[in-house]
Each structure stands twice: as structure tokens, then as C-alpha cells.
């Protein structure tokens, strides 16, 4: 079929319009594709930048986490700082890192020339140390708020590692000393975004240094306090022993009298025994003379001689005299043993102790203070509960109380000793009928060097030392006293369950 010219032109026009539309659509698609590609490219660049930032943030967080871990650890101060220097050097890719302690512009760390190296770790490197010291303003004691970066002109540690910059900061060390952290770098600077991270790390480091220096000061203070406590404890033991010997001095005359009595009758007995021995010698001489004369033993003659010297009485009396001497020597031994137990300082361990035995021993020591006008009414018995105590120290307490009671009853009186069981405790009552005390005196009774006795009679330490001893035994003391009536000391001890 043949198309007319008009129809042909019409169809060509349609095709041209169609082609134009397709061209426009293709151009639009190409434009959109180009825009989309550009968006993808920009997004890719943004993602790469974000990834780099993320990786950098991760490195920063890891660095801060590791430095914080070092600061929070219990490792020694020098090790902690060395680890921080190493971590900071690795984080900043510094060639060298070191710590310097200065005072008044002087480097105090000359003996420690170790420097951290990125390639070789910690090593002695005096050249790097000298370079860092020469570049740092050590004479300035002002503490820097942040890090400073300075360029290094034509300075090299070796031909292969040119040093172009140093970045550093400082912090208070102790007293007037200043600590400096310095890092030498091949770069001509340090990224500014690293400075806040380094500042945070520095704050952690300073916090750790302060804590450790405080711990060191506390440790030194504890050592000093422990030394002071040891000296005070030694002085306390010496004071107790001195007071004990002072009490012995006051009791010396009476103790000598107690020892002199048995010694006197032992001497008298020995003189009698010496006479009996002479009688035996006389008997022996007469018997030998009679035997040599008659060459035989005359029994009647022997009986006459024995009767003459009263041999039967001598034998009987000699046994009594020997037994009396043994008892006298036992008495002396007992007095000496009591004195030794009282005066011996011994250890201060608290062991199972009988209050009854302590009081009986104290009475034997101080008993001579109670003259003929005094009476002692002792109700202590073996039924008295046992306590944890030091017998030597408790004897000292009771001797002091008995001596004070004797002084209070100068013209005679009655000393009563008794005890009461109360639940898990036992109360010792020591009562005298002496002059008594007013309330003011009772309130000062246990004050060191307080005494109502004349000069030269008392030290004023007896009761204060006794009170300290009783406190160490967990005992409590109360005093009831009335002028011209008497005084009662009530001492409560915890008993052994």
C-alpha cells in the first residue's frame, strides 16, 4: 500500500517526536545515573572518613582504657609511669619517650638514663635524654594545663632517625619537685585532635601518682606510728617494772624481817646441834678410853656415859631441830620465790590464772606491812573462778592495794578480802577500815603522780600503773570510800567460760 505524502510526513513526525522523547528520557536517566553515582561516591568517601574516624576513636579509647587500667592497678609507681610512657609513645608513634623529675631547674633523674624507644623498648640512651633535657624548660615550676609541641632545629640522634619535634607536659610530683613527660618525634608536630586525649591520659596519670604518693606517705606514717607505739609500749613496760621495784623498795625492810626470823631460829638451832655434836664427841672419846683400858666394852659403863650426856634427849631433839631448820629454809625459799615472781618482768602473755594464788602470794609479800594492830580477814578460796591474766602483773596490783590499805590504817584496822561471782565475771573486794577519802581524791586516784602520802613515801604511780594493768586484763575498777570509815576497791574480771 502506497502512503500519501501527507501520511508519510505525519508518520515521520510521529517517529521524530518519539525519538526525541526517547532521547530526553535517556538524557534524564543518564543525569539521574550520574547524580546517583556521585551520591554513591560521596557516600563512599563519607563512609571511609567515618571509618577512619571510628578507627581513630577506637585507638583513642583503647589507649585511654589501657592507661586507666595501669593507673587503677596496684603496681609500683615507677612501673606505672613506665607503662604510661610506653603506651603514649606507641599511641603517638613517637620515636622516644621518657620521664624527668626536676627541682629548681635541676634534673634529679641523672642516675636513670633509660629511655623508651619505639623500635627497641626501654634502653639506656643518654643522647636522647640529654637532648630532651636541653629542650625542656625545667627551670619553670608552673604546672602546664596541656601539652606543648616545639620544633627541633637540625637535631638528630643518629643518621637514620632525625628528630624534628618534641611534645611534652609536666605535673606536680611531691614537695617542690616537678615531673616531665617528653616525647621526641620524627614528625614536625602532633595532630591537634590528639591533645585532648593526651590531656585525659595525663589527668589519669596525675591521679594515679597522687594516690601512690599518698599511699607511700601513709605507709611511712604508719611505720613511724608503729615505731612510736613500740617505744610507748616499751616505756609502759619499763614504767610497770620501775613501779614494781619501787614497791619492793618500800617493802624491803619488812621482807628482810620476814627472812631474818627463820634465819635467826635456824642459826639458834644449829648452835644447839653444835653442842649436841660436842656431846657425841665426848661420848666417843670416853668410850675409846674405856675400851683401850679394859680391852673390852663395858655395857654398864656405856649406859652411864649415855645417861650422863642425855643421849636419848639429844637424838629426839636433834630430829625436831633438823625438821625446824627445814621448815625455816622452806619459808625463806617461799619468800624468795614470791619476790622473784613479783619482781620478774617476764612476758605479757595472758594465760589461765588463779586470782586466789595471786592474792595469797601478794599477801606473803606485803603481809609484813600489817603490824600487830592489824588484822587480815581473807575469804579467798580455790573456788574462785579462773581468769586470763598475767600473774606477775596482778600480784603487783594487789601488793599496791594492800600497801595502800596498810598506810591508810596507820593505827591499826581490818583488811577484808572477798569475792563475788556475777554471771561471766568475778568481783574481787578489797576493803580496809582506814582513813578513807573524799570524792575529789577518789576522782584523781588513778592520775599519774597523784598521791596523798608524804614526800618520799609514795611515787604517785602505783595506782595509775595498776589501773593500766587492769585495763589490759579487761577488768573494771570502782572505788567506794568514806572519810574516817574506810575504802573498798571492787575489781571485776571476766572469767574463763
Amino acid at each position: 500500500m502506497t502512503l500519501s505524502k501527507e501520511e508519510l510526513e505525519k508518520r515521520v513526525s510521529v517517529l521524530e517526536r518519539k525519538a526525541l522523547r526517547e532521547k530526553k528520557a535517556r538524557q534524564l536517566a543518564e543525569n539521574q545515573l550520574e547524580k546517583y553515582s556521585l551520591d554513591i561516591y560521596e557516600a563512599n568517601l563519607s563512609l571511609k572518613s567515618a571509618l577512619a574516624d571510628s578507627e581513630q576513636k577506637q585507638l583513642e579509647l583503647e589507649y585511654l582504657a589501657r592507661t586507666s587500667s595501669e593507673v587503677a592497678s596496684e603496681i609500683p609507681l615507677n612501673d606505672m609511669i613506665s607503662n604510661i610512657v610506653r603506651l603514649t609513645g606507641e599511641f603517638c608513634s613517637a620515636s622516644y619517650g621518657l620521664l624527668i623529675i626536676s627541682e629548681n631547674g635541676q634534673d634529679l633523674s641523672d642516675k636513670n638514663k633509660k629511655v623508651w624507644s619505639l623500635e627497641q623498648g626501654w634502653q639506656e640512651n643518654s643522647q636522647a635524654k640529654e637532648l630532651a633535657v636541653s629542650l625542656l624548660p625545667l627551670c619553670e615550676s608552673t604546672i602546664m594545663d596541656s601539652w606543648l609541641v616545639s620544633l627541633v632545629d637540625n637535631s638528630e640522634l643518629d643518621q637514620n632517625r632525625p628528630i624534628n619535634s618534641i611534645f611534652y607536659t609536666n605535673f606536680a610530683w611531691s614537695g617542690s619537685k616537678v615531673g616531665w613527660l617528653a616525647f621526641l618525634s620524627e614528625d614536625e608536630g602532633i595532630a591537634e585532635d590528639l591533645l585532648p586525649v593526651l590531656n585525659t591520659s595525663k589527668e589519669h596519670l596525675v591521679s594515679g601518682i597522687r594516690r601512690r604518693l599518698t599511699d607511700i606517705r601513709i605507709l611511712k606514717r604508719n611505720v613511724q606510728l608503729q615505731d612510736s607505739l613500740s617505744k610507748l609500749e616499751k616505756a609502759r613496760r619499763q614504767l610497770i617494772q620501775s613501779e614494781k621495784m619501787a614497791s619492793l623498795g618500800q617493802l624491803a625492810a619488812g621482807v628482810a624481817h620476814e627472812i631474818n626470823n627463820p634465819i635467826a631460829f635456824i642459826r639458834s638451832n644449829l648452835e644447839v646441834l653444835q653442842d649436841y655434836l660436842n656431846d657425841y664427841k665426848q661420848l666417843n672419846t670416853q668410850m675409846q678410853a674405856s675400851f683401850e683400858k679394859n680391852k673390852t666394852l663395858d655395857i654398864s659403863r656405856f649406859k652411864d656415859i649415855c645417861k650422863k650426856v642425855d643421849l636419848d634427849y639429844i637424838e629426839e631433839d636433834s630430829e625436831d631441830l633438823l625438821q625446824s631448820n627445814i621448815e625455816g629454809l622452806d619459808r625463806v625459799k617461799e619468800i624468795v620465790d614470791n619476790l622473784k615472781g613479783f619482781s620478774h618482768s617476764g612476758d605479757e602473755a595472758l594465760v589461765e590464772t588463779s586470782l586466789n594464788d595471786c592474792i595469797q602470794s601478794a599477801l606473803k609479800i606485803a603481809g609484813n606491812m600489817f603490824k600487830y594492830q592489824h588484822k587480815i580477814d581473807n575469804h579467798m578460796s580455790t573456788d574462785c573462778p579462773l581468769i586470763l591474766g598475767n600473774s606477775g602483773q596482778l600480784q603487783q596490783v594487789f601488793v599496791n592495794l594492800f600497801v595502800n590499805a596498810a598506810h591508810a590504817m596507820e593505827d591499826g584496822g581490818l583488811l577484808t578480802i572477798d569475792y563475788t561471782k556475777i554471771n561471766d565475771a568475778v568481783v574481787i573486794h578489797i576493803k580496809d577500815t582506814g582513813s578513807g577519802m573524799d570524792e575529789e581524791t577518789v576522782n584523781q586516784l588513778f592520775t599519774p603522780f597523784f598521791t596523798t602520802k608524804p614526800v618520799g613515801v609514795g611515787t604517785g604511780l602505783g595506782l595509775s600503773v595498776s589501773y593500766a594493768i587492769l585495763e589490759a586484763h579487761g577488768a573494771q575498777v570502782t572505788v567506794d570510800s568514806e572519810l574516817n570509815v574506810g575504802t573498798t576497791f571492787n575489781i571485776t574480771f571476766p572469767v574463763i567460760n
Side-chain angles (χ1 to χ4, degrees), residues 29-30 184 251 386 468 490:
E30 289 175 352
L184 302 169
L251 297 170
L386 299 177
N490 305 293

Side-chain angles (χ1 to χ4, degrees), residues 396-414:
Q396 179 176 354
V397 171
F398 293 126
V399 166
N400 280 330
L401 294 178
F402 296 158
V403 170
N404 286 343
H407 287 161
M409 300 185 294
E410 186 175 357
D411 298 326
L414 174 64

Side-chain angles (χ1 to χ4, degrees), residues 252-268:
V255 170
H257 178 72
E258 288 290 316
I259 293 177
N260 187 59
N261 284 339
I263 293 295
F265 72 70
I266 289 172
R267 177 181 176 83
S268 175

Side-chain angles (χ1 to χ4, degrees), residues 77 80-81 171 173 205-213:
L77 177 59
M80 186 265 288
I81 295 178
F171 52 86
W173 182 258
L205 172 65
V206 171
S207 174
I209 289 173
R210 286 175 180 169
R211 178 172 69 85
R212 282 168 172 80
L213 290 177

Side-chain angles (χ1 to χ4, degrees), residues 96 98 113-117 120 122-131 157-158:
Y96 302 98
L98 67 160
K113 295 185 178 180
K114 289 215 168 179
V115 175
W116 176 82
S117 167
Q120 300 178 352
W122 286 96
Q123 59 180 333
E124 287 193 5
N125 192 324
S126 58
Q127 191 178 4
K129 175 75 177 294
E130 291 171 1
L131 176 61
L157 293 180
D158 55 59

Side-chain angles (χ1 to χ4, degrees), residues 413-480:
L414 174 64
L415 174 68
T416 304
I417 306 169
D418 203 352
Y419 70 93
T420 305
K421 298 178 185 177
I422 303 177
N423 298 326
D424 295 331
V426 58
V427 185
I428 303 298
H429 310 283
I430 300 175
K431 180 180 180 181
D432 67 62
T433 57
S435 57
M437 298 174 285
D438 57 25
E439 184 177 354
E440 183 180 355
T441 302
V442 171
N443 291 336
Q444 300 182 73
L445 204 54
F446 301 108
T447 303
F449 303 107
F450 174 77
T451 180
T452 58
K453 300 173 185 177
V455 176
V457 177
T459 63
L461 289 174
L463 286 177
S464 63
V465 169
S466 297
Y467 188 80
I469 292 173
L470 292 173
E471 273 194 327
H473 283 72
Q476 296 179 345
V477 188
T478 60
V479 182
D480 300 321

